[in-house]
């Protein structure tokens, strides 16, 4: 997930134009297309909510031929053979997906993230923080409803001022 420093994933009008930083941090790493490709090669399946799916359609489909499962309560269709739609019990769905796909990447969506955290279905959180304060909008970690211990695994700083933090979710 990409977040502003004050914890928002979208402006009040739901726009995402703030995600492109104009900052320059000389000591940061340059994020290359090869870095992104290497990361994406390790993803076996994407899991997302319906709003994230709608945003992906508007922005241009970035998921290629990797399987995508969209959580939705509406009947939907997509011509891509790699896209499927699911509803029902989230725990059962994720457990079934794990048998088929060892590395599931939940992309976007504070509601989906909240539901998965509440049900202990997340093993790791990768949070990229952009150098901006939005002052309002859609919060990322909104009403998780429980304390969750994390273990910092890695921090990477980038030349555009973005800071990526990777946390293991500690199981209680």
């Amino acid at each position: 997930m990409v977040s502003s420093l004050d914890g928002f994933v979208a402006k009040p009008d739901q726009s995402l134009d703030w995600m492109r930083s104009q900052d320059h941090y000389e000591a940061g790493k340059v994020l290359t297309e090869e870095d992104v490709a290497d990361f994406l090669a390790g993803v076996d399946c994407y899991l997302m909510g319906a709003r994230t799916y709608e945003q992906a359609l508007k922005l241009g489909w970035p998921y290629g031929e990797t399987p995508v499962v969209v959580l939705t309560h509406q009947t939907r269709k997509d011509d891509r053979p790699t896209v499927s739609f699911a509803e029902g019990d989230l725990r059962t769905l994720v457990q079934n997906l794990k048998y088929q796909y060892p590395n599931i990447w939940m992309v976007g969506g504070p509601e989906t993230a909240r539901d998965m955290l509440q049900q202990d279905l997340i093993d790791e959180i990768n949070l990229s923080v952009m150098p901006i304060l939005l002052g309002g909008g859609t919060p990322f970690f909104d009403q998780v409803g429980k304390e969750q211990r994390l273990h910092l695994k890695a921090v990477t700083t980038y030349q555009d001022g973005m800071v990526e933090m990777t946390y293991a979710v500690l199981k209680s």
Side-chain angles (χ1 to χ4, degrees), residues 1 6 14 28-29 36 49 51 59 74 83 99 101 111 120 127 132-133 161 172:
M1 175 60 85
D6 52 352
Q14 299 304 302
K29 178 180 177 181
V36 173
R51 283 186 226 148
L59 298 173
Q74 299 175 349
V83 176
Y99 287 119
Y101 305 110
E111 290 177 21
D120 295 322
L127 178 62
I132 189 170
L133 298 169
S172 45

Side-chain angles (χ1 to χ4, degrees), residues 35-145:
D35 292 332
V36 173
D38 288 346
F39 171 78
L40 295 177
V43 176
D44 299 314
C45 175
Y46 294 99
L47 179 65
M48 66 182 68
R51 283 186 226 148
T52 301
Y53 169 74
E54 294 295 333
Q55 282 289 345
L57 292 176
K58 288 178 191 173
L59 298 173
W61 193 252
Y63 305 107
E65 298 302 313
T66 304
V68 173
V69 178
V70 180
L71 304 170
T72 184
H73 298 292
Q74 299 175 349
T75 302
R76 296 176 184 262
K77 291 184 180 182
D78 191 304
D79 293 335
R80 292 173 194 82
T82 56
V83 176
S84 61
F85 301 94
E87 64 178 317
D89 182 65
L90 185 59
R91 177 173 295 287
T92 302
L93 172 67
V94 171
Q95 288 172 342
N96 289 337
L97 286 173
K98 282 186 175 185
Y99 287 119
Q100 191 173 3
Y101 305 110
N103 189 10
I104 301 168
W105 188 260
M106 197 283 305
V107 291
E111 290 177 21
T112 303
R114 178 200 63 218
D115 294 347
M116 291 185 70
L117 279 166
Q118 287 175 340
Q119 295 184 46
D120 295 322
L121 298 173
I122 294 181
D123 300 319
E124 189 173 274
I125 296 172
N126 282 32
L127 178 62
S128 296
V129 177
M130 296 301 292
I132 189 170
L133 298 169
L134 294 179
T138 304
F140 180 36
F141 291 110
D142 187 28
Q143 304 297 320
V144 173

